[in-house]
Amino acid sequence: ARGDRVGACQEDRVRGGGRGGRGARRRGVRGPAGVARGGGSGRAGDGGARGGAGRQALQEFNVAAGGREGDAEILEAVAYIRRRQGHWDESIAAMDKALALNPRNSSLATSLSETYETLRRYPQAMRFIDIAISLAPDVTTLNGPKALLQVKVDGNTRAARDTLRKVDPREDQDLPWLEVYMDILDGRNAEALDRLAKIPSDVLDNQSFYFPKPLQAGLIHLATNDGARARVACESARQVLEKEIAKSPRDPRVRTSLGMALACLGRKEEAVREARLAADISPVSSDALAGPQFLETLASVYAMVGDSDAAIDLLDRLLAMPSGTAVTLLKLDPAWKPLWKLPRFQKLMEKYE
């Protein structure tokens, strides 16, 4: 949940196809604030292709294809469905074929990068995001996913910041949230709060996240051990999120953020309940791409409320499966600070490094 949070922000744009649409979704946007995972409730191209809906969609595509199985668009659509279903090798094979038929499709190259990133095959992920950028140099938003990938690879926030400077802020409303996340990873909490205050929107609201600005501020205060300011900010966020849940009770993005706000307020049972509900609404079994994101937030909530064993158990599970969870971000993001000195956590990091 953090590593992709704000970063998480990133992946959430629906690309526009062809030359690579305007937006690879954001990954990793959270920061100590909690917005950054790798999944998202729907990456470009695969929205809705989950569980039974995915199987039905695949059957409909097979019927509609009627001899056009070699069509690039059909292959791409099937690849996205297979990805949601967790059939990673089949998804990659279909995307490879589609890209061979349409080698100028930067959106498809970006999707391949996202897929390899979820599998933690970072060299391949970097290769394809670079291909996407070369195919669509005017789509500067593609540098956001690349920056987050750079941090996942080796924790190099300096290189990631250099990459973010290539993003045109007029094209990317999530860019400031990503910059806040970089400040958080670097321990520049005062700078993060200043930058956050200047963001015009009150909520990071995209395909992966519904994250009120006060929640991000509260989590930053929590990371600096300023409990009083953290509680004021998180209470403000809680009120916003409760109102949103009244309108959209089945939105896992809102539930997962409410879980973090409640954890910040010390309301352990309620926090765990909300975070677990988000994971139940979008389970890995029906959505292999988005599901892990909500499990990671559940792990962070466990860490916040002092249940370190449950947090580490979940992180072990996430690191053993395709997900946006990355060792580098677990070691950098202060969301995981309650775990850093624990021998079990340190052994877990050694296990997956």
Side-chain angles (χ1 to χ4, degrees):
R2 307 216 183 207
D4 279 315
R5 276 187 286 213
V6 160
C9 257
Q10 286 215 166
E11 284 181 356
D12 277 313
R13 288 182 161 71
V14 175
R15 305 186 201 63
R19 290 197 68 216
R22 290 265 157 193
R25 288 174 31 194
R26 283 351 269 184
R27 326 163 215 231
V29 178
R30 215 179 16 166
V35 188
R37 312 169 218 320
S41 44
R43 296 199 185 189
D46 5 14
R50 28 179 116 167
R55 288 187 290 275
Q56 181 180 350
L58 190 58
Q59 292 171 359
E60 292 174 357
F61 272 122
N62 289 335
V63 171
R68 290 199 302 133
E69 291 82 359
D71 182 281
E73 291 186 2
I74 295 294
L75 285 166
E76 187 174 358
V78 168
Y80 292 142
I81 294 171
R82 286 302 193 192
R83 184 166 70 168
R84 284 279 172 186
Q85 294 173 331
H87 300 301
W88 302 97
D89 290 341
E90 292 178 33
S91 176
I92 288 172
M95 282 191 270
D96 280 339
K97 290 179 182 178
L99 190 60
L101 292 168
N102 186 7
R104 301 297 302 171
N105 188 339
S106 68
S107 175
L108 190 49
T110 305
S111 292
L112 273 163
S113 176
E114 293 170 351
T115 303
Y116 280 121
E117 180 180 343
T118 303
L119 295 171
R120 299 185 189 85
R121 294 167 64 177
Y122 296 136
Q124 294 97 323
M126 190 65 73
R127 172 174 170 252
F128 278 103
I129 194 61
D130 283 338
I131 289 173
I133 290 170
S134 69
L135 291 173
D138 57 318
V139 184
T140 66
T141 54
L142 292 173
N143 288 287
K146 180 176 179 177
L148 286 163
L149 179 57
Q150 287 173 306
V151 178
K152 284 188 177 183
V153 169
D154 59 11
N156 189 343
T157 56
R158 178 176 296 181
R161 287 178 184 274
D162 288 342
T163 299
L164 285 180
R165 292 188 185 98
K166 299 176 183 178
V167 178
D168 185 341
R170 296 170 298 181
E171 296 180 0
D172 192 347
Q173 63 183 6
D174 290 340
L175 176 61
W177 293 89
L178 263 177
E179 293 171 331
V180 168
Y181 184 57
M182 292 297 166
D183 287 336
I184 289 167
L185 294 181
D186 286 336
R188 301 177 181 178
N189 295 304
E191 291 93 328
L193 288 168
D194 287 344
R195 197 187 301 272
L196 182 67
K198 295 174 184 176
I199 297 177
S201 59
D202 293 327
V203 180
L204 171 62
D205 183 2
N206 57 33
Q207 197 171 333
S208 292
F209 302 100
Y210 189 89
F211 207 76
K213 190 191 294 186
L215 179 55
Q216 181 72 79
L219 293 173
I220 296 172
H221 288 308
L222 202 63
T224 60
N225 299 315
D226 189 342
R229 285 191 173 89
R231 286 189 293 274
V232 170
C234 288
E235 173 58 22
S236 176
R238 184 196 66 78
Q239 294 176 21
V240 171
L241 292 163
E242 293 279 12
K243 290 178 182 177
E244 192 63 27
I245 280 177
K247 295 185 288 185
S248 305
R250 296 285 297 172
D251 189 337
R253 304 172 309 148
V254 184
R255 293 283 181 185
T256 202
S257 291
L258 180 58
M260 285 186 284
L262 291 167
C264 173
L265 293 168
R267 294 163 62 170
K268 178 177 179 177
E269 291 77 12
E270 296 168 272
V272 171
R273 182 193 66 207
E274 292 296 334
R276 185 178 289 141
L277 180 55
D280 289 343
I281 291 171
S282 183
V284 176
S285 60
S286 64
D287 191 338
L289 195 61
Q293 160 183 339
F294 300 107
L295 283 179
E296 189 180 324
T297 299
L298 176 57
S300 72
V301 166
Y302 280 134
M304 291 172 71
V305 300
D307 194 342
S308 59
D309 284 335
I312 293 170
D313 287 344
L314 255 185
L315 290 176
D316 195 357
R317 177 183 169 191
L318 284 161
L319 289 167
M321 70 165 73
S323 74
T325 306
V327 168
T328 50
L329 289 173
L330 292 175
K331 294 165 74 173
L332 283 175
D333 191 330
W336 307 105
K337 186 177 179 180
L339 306 179
W340 284 348
K341 294 183 180 180
L342 300 179
R344 269 200 77 199
F345 180 79
Q346 294 168 357
K347 289 179 181 178
L348 185 70
M349 296 300 95
E350 293 172 3
K351 177 181 177 180
Y352 290 103
E353 277 182 327

